[in-house]
């Protein structure tokens, strides 16, 4: 089969540069175009020069329609409003859309679901195998332990991250809530400040740390009377997420239209 021709949107971002490099290095994928937002100082610069691969002869563009017309898929680690617009454009072009962007609102997610009726979308707040396995473990542990164990999700990321709690922390919170057969929305405590009173039974708490260059660390604590279980994942390299995103793109190429998750890609949805 011919190489899968991929557009990287947000190509000058931290993940975008890593994605350009990974597409270039991965057998079976080829860089079709590199897109940045209108007004970006990187428009016209070579995507490979930005990514550190050396010149690829692919200047960064903001012409989304032209970029998507020549491609089989788009890899999108940008910002929520941009991702909703890319979902519509990818559906119109009939190409695979891999979404790593976090902080998506319910209305953004509704746009993805709608686009999934006509094309293939893989969306996950974390594209790594380790975190997706951790998510399955958290669901299982939460179901086994029951509500007498308090659940807290702790995360740390680099100082430039703009959303909180992280998409991964929310995924882990969702998994814990599913394990307990409750809704996360009714039980999440995303911030604590001042005289909060005692912890409410059944709450799922979140704590956010920001600083330095930390790529992503997550711990789910199950705290009972006299004992505590902690499940932790530490990401050391952004390449992890880029490799996962390309695996998702290649997997989705062969699938019917639908909105999929990374657990589907990795075959661990039923764990
Ligand atoms: P970043 O700010 O470095 O990069 C985002 C890039 O997107 C920027 O270059 C920005 O100019 C560009 N952009 C914004 N709007 C655009 C538009 N309309 N068109 C084209 N480009 C646009 O951020 P980052 O650290 O690379 O993270 C990006 C997103 O990916 C965040 O939501 C982050 O949480 C998420 N992320 C997800 C995973 C995962 O595995 N799912 C892993 C890491 C980061």
């Amino acid at each position: 089969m011919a190489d899968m021709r991929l557009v990287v949107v947000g190509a000058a971002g931290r993940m975008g540069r890593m994605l350009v490099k990974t597409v270039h290095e991965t057998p079976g994928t080829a860089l079709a175009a590199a897109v940045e937002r209108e007004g970006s100082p990187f428009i016209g610069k070579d995507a490979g020069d930005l990514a550190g691969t050396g010149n690829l002869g692919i200047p960064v563009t903001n012409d989304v329609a032209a970029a998507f017309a020549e491609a089989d898929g788009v890899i999108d680690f940008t910002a929520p409003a941009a991702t909703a617009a890319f979902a519509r454009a990818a559906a119109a072009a009939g190409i695979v859309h891999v979404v790593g962007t976090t902080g998506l609102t319910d209305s953004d997610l509704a746009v993805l679901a709608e686009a999934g009726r006509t094309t293939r979308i893989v969306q996950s707040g974390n594209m790594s195998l380790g975190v997706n396995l951790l998510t399955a473990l958290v669901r299982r542990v939460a179901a086994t332990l029951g509500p007498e164990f308090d659940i807290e999700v702790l995360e740390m990321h680099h100082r430039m991250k703009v959303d909180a709690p992280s998409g991964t922390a929310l995924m882990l919170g969702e998994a814990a809530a599913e394990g307990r057969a409750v809704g996360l929305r009714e039980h999440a405590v995303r911030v604590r400040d001042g005289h909060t009173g005692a912890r409410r039974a059944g709450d799922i708490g979140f704590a956010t740390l920001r600083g330095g260059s930390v790529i992503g660390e997550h711990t789910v604590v199950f705290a009972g009377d006299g004992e505590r279980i902690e499940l932790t994942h530490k990401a050391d390299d952004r390449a992890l997420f880029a490799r996962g995103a390309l695996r998702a793109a290649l997997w989705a190429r062969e699938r019917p239209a639908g909105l999929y998750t990374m657990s589907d890609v990795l075959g661990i949805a039923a764990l």
Side-chain angles (χ1 to χ4, degrees):
M1 193 183 290
D3 283 353
M4 185 171 190
R5 291 175 51 77
L6 294 170
V7 179
V8 173
V9 290
R14 276 175 291 269
M15 276 306 301
R17 292 173 196 234
M18 180 56 77
L19 284 159
V20 166
K21 182 168 181 289
T22 310
V23 169
H24 178 64
E25 290 169 353
T26 303
T29 65
L31 188 67
V35 170
E36 258 297 336
R37 65 182 163 73
E38 214 175 304
S40 162
F42 299 104
I43 303 282
K45 301 249 190 306
D46 185 77
D49 286 341
L50 292 176
T53 61
N55 196 289
L56 293 176
I58 299 186
V60 174
T61 174
N62 62 357
D63 188 343
V64 175
F68 284 19
E70 296 301 317
D72 304 307
V74 49
I75 314 282
D76 176 359
F77 286 63
T78 57
T83 291
F86 289 134
R88 291 193 182 96
I95 63 175
V96 169
H97 187 192
V98 176
V99 178
T101 307
T102 60
L104 300 171
T105 63
D106 287 347
S107 74
D108 298 326
L109 291 169
V111 173
L112 298 196
E114 179 58 31
R117 290 153 62 97
T118 46
T119 193
R120 300 131 293 159
I121 303 195
V122 182
Q123 184 259 327
S124 177
N126 194 302
M127 298 278 172
S128 85
L129 171 63
V131 159
N132 283 279
L133 269 176
L134 179 66
T135 304
L137 289 174
V138 165
R139 190 179 300 114
R140 171 76 68 86
V141 174
T144 306
L145 290 178
E148 63 279 14
F149 276 75
D150 298 325
I151 303 179
E152 296 281 309
V153 183
L154 178 67
E155 58 113 333
M156 180 159 187
H157 282 84
H158 55 88
R159 61 169 75 94
M160 302 302 286
K161 184 162 178 64
V162 294
D163 55 318
S166 70
T168 304
L170 293 170
M171 257 172 77
L172 294 167
E174 280 290 353
E178 275 168 34
R180 282 187 168 171
V182 298
L184 180 61
R185 204 170 292 244
E186 297 78 57
H187 293 275
V189 176
R190 293 168 62 134
V191 180
R192 292 190 181 103
D193 186 30
H195 186 81
T196 60
R199 194 183 196 285
R200 224 172 34 144
D203 279 349
I204 297 176
F206 291 85
T208 300
L209 283 74
R210 292 286 175 266
S213 57
V214 176
I215 289 180
E217 297 191 2
H218 295 85
T219 296
V220 182
V221 182
F222 295 87
D225 286 327
E227 63 178 338
R228 197 159 74 228
I229 298 172
E230 298 186 357
L231 300 176
T232 296
H233 179 269
K234 297 183 181 183
D236 295 333
D237 189 346
R238 282 192 178 85
L240 194 69
F241 310 126
R243 284 197 299 268
L246 294 202
R247 183 167 169 172
L250 290 164
W251 177 88
R253 193 182 192 185
E254 303 303 318
R255 292 292 177 297
L259 176 55
Y260 300 98
T261 69
M262 209 51 203
S263 313
D264 298 315
V265 175
L266 297 169
I268 57 172
L271 280 187

